[in-house]
Amino acid sequence: SQQGEEDPQALSIQEGENATMNCSYKTSINNLQWYRQNSGRGLVHLILIRSNEREKHSGRLRVTLDTSKKSSSLLITASRAADTASYFCAVSGGSYIPTFGRGTSLIVHP
Amino acid sequence: DAGVIQSPRHEVTEMGQEVTLRCKPISGHDYLFWYRQTMMRGLELLIYFNNNVPIDDSGMPEDRFSAKMPNASFSTLKIQPSEPRDSAVYFCASSLGDGETQYFGPGTRLLVL
């Protein structure tokens, strides 16, 4: 199975700014998912985007997928202090079982 | 549904002791996953089950680790004997399908002294 790699490893912004984090992978995928993990908690699913989709929205979240570049991005608009968390991408390839990356640690300063 | 339930939430034990972690998946989910998370290694998949059958245990670090799923509503992860390097947060997750959304439990924070 393959693993997605998030970039950057850490991101620090001010409340109200947009936050963008990226995920790259190596081989073809069936879908890609983004999860959030607050400190000391389990991961929470945010968005699943399938390989034939290019963009999905959920509230202040926008996910794009570029299969030609083998990359995805997660955009959080108008960030809030409550968005402070680690964000993980999970890619599902031939084995379908999602494999998680190391995550991006986002800090949003009030 | 109450979501994925894990117990205990915290466990402190001494090296050499047996540790048993428990998980109740969401009813109707066919897949159950056990993960370990540390700062050094990130989130590692240890083993997963489909319809109570272990499918891939290649992530289980050593023979000291074992996992069972005797029925659709219960799974255990056992470490015997435990070692300090086993200290980590252990998560259980379940899903309807193999590539679908995983629902995580709150985790068990294990400290082996």
Side-chain angles (χ1 to χ4, degrees), chain A residues 6 8 15 25-27 30 43 46 50 52 57 61 72-73 75 89 93 95 100 105 107:
Chain A
E6 295 92 344
E15 209 166 30
Y25 55 92
K26 291 186 168 57
T27 63
N30 298 301
L43 279 72
L46 296 175
R50 302 195 185 277
N52 61 352
H57 297 256
L61 307 181
S72 173
S73 67
L75 168 68
C89 71
S95 72
F100 289 82
S105 176
I107 297 176

Side-chain angles (χ1 to χ4, degrees), chain A residues 33-48 58 61 74 82 84-90 100, chain B residues 4 35 37 43 91-94 100-107:
Chain A
Q33 303 178 53
W34 285 93
Y35 289 77
R36 182 188 72 230
Q37 183 180 33
N38 291 92
S39 180
R41 302 287 189 90
L43 279 72
V44 175
H45 180 258
L46 296 175
I47 289 182
L48 182 153
S58 177
L61 307 181
L74 170 66
T84 294
S86 291
Y87 292 82
F88 295 84
C89 71
F100 289 82
Chain B
V4 175
Y35 292 91
Q37 187 177 39
L43 191 66
F91 290 103
C92 175
S94 69
E100 299 302 317
T101 298
Q102 293 189 17
Y103 295 83
F104 282 73

Side-chain angles (χ1 to χ4, degrees), chain A residues 55-66:
Chain A
E55 187 170 314
K56 288 189 85 168
H57 297 256
S58 177
R60 294 182 296 112
L61 307 181
R62 183 176 79 113
V63 168
T64 59
L65 178 64
D66 188 334

Side-chain angles (χ1 to χ4, degrees), chain B residues 65-87:
Chain B
F65 286 69
S66 63
K68 294 182 179 179
M69 192 164 185
N71 57 63
S73 59
F74 183 66
S75 176
T76 60
L77 178 66
K78 187 175 294 186
I79 308 173
Q80 166 64 19
S82 59
E83 297 183 3
R85 59 193 167 122
D86 301 331
S87 297

